Amino acid sequence: MPSVLVDDRWINQCNPELSALITRLLDTQDWLKDLTLLTGLRPSAVDPAVQREWMAVKARNKARLAALVQKTNGITVRTDALFDVQVKRIHEYKRQHLNALQVITQYLRIKNGQTDGMAPRTVIFGGKAAPGYYMAKLIIRFLNGIADTINADPDMDGLLRVVFLPDYNV
């Protein structure tokens, strides 16, 4: 089995601040090559100072993503909302379609007043379709139609937002 270079680990590239925190807590970068070392985080998981630091990293990342959504789509999203993010090449048989149906279900629940205990949620889709993949392009239109409907509905304010990030590199 070939060894994995530190720069090849996805988390190290996409979330360097979290990667740095994990490295500091474990006192080694070896976890990037051997994920079983992550069990060494267990003692830190109950430390309130580490929990605050972890949450601060998460909050800064959510703020960066919210700024990107605002810049790219002109949509303001709450950073205190749950972010449900799915970024993947678009296929008709993939989970984007199922996730879209789940968003419609949540929309209908809100419209029917079933909001007790519901956490505010922002659903973010990203991806692209192959140039000749007609059905995948229809899925993208479908996702954008859902976003347009939900984001224009005042009943959704503070409860549900949907975003499709265009031209996302996957």
Side-chain angles (χ1 to χ4, degrees):
M1 174 191 258
S3 65
V4 177
L5 299 175
V6 170
D7 288 342
D8 289 341
R9 236 347 131 192
W10 179 79
I11 191 169
N12 199 47
Q13 295 296 309
C14 74
N15 198 340
E17 192 175 358
L18 179 59
S19 184
L21 175 60
I22 293 170
T23 296
R24 183 175 58 76
L25 292 171
L26 294 175
D27 197 29
T28 181
Q29 278 195 321
D30 290 348
W31 70 272
L32 290 162
K33 296 177 241 165
D34 181 2
L35 294 181
T36 63
L37 295 176
L38 291 174
T39 59
L41 292 173
R42 285 187 180 133
S44 300
V46 295
D47 182 341
V50 171
Q51 291 173 358
R52 283 190 299 277
E53 195 171 356
W54 191 279
M55 294 303 290
V57 168
K58 181 178 173 180
R60 285 189 293 274
N61 284 329
K62 285 178 84 172
R64 283 185 327 148
L65 182 52
L68 176 68
V69 167
Q70 179 65 44
K71 179 181 175 186
T72 306
N73 294 61
I75 298 170
T76 301
V77 297
R78 294 175 50 171
T79 57
D80 64 338
L82 186 149
F83 280 17
D84 178 348
V85 181
Q86 187 174 45
V87 178
K88 193 168 183 64
R89 185 166 294 280
I90 307 295
H91 293 282
E92 63 185 290
Y93 59 87
K94 292 284 185 173
R95 292 184 177 104
Q96 294 99 338
H97 196 176
L98 291 174
N99 201 1
L101 295 175
Q102 171 59 32
V103 170
I104 292 169
T105 299
Q106 188 160 9
Y107 172 74
L108 293 174
R109 286 181 180 148
I110 294 169
K111 291 300 280 183
N112 289 323
Q114 300 170 355
T115 60
D116 287 345
M118 185 177 286
R121 180 180 301 249
T122 297
V123 182
I124 302 171
F125 294 95
K128 57 184 168 184
Y133 198 167
Y134 179 73
M135 187 57 80
K137 290 180 180 187
L138 285 178
I139 295 287
I140 292 171
R141 287 183 60 198
F142 179 54
L143 295 171
N144 278 292
I146 291 169
D148 291 344
T149 299
I150 289 173
N151 297 339
D153 188 334
D155 292 342
M156 300 300 115
D157 284 347
L159 289 173
L160 184 61
R161 283 276 178 259
V162 180
V163 177
F164 185 88
L165 292 174
D167 302 322
Y168 194 89
N169 292 327
V170 286

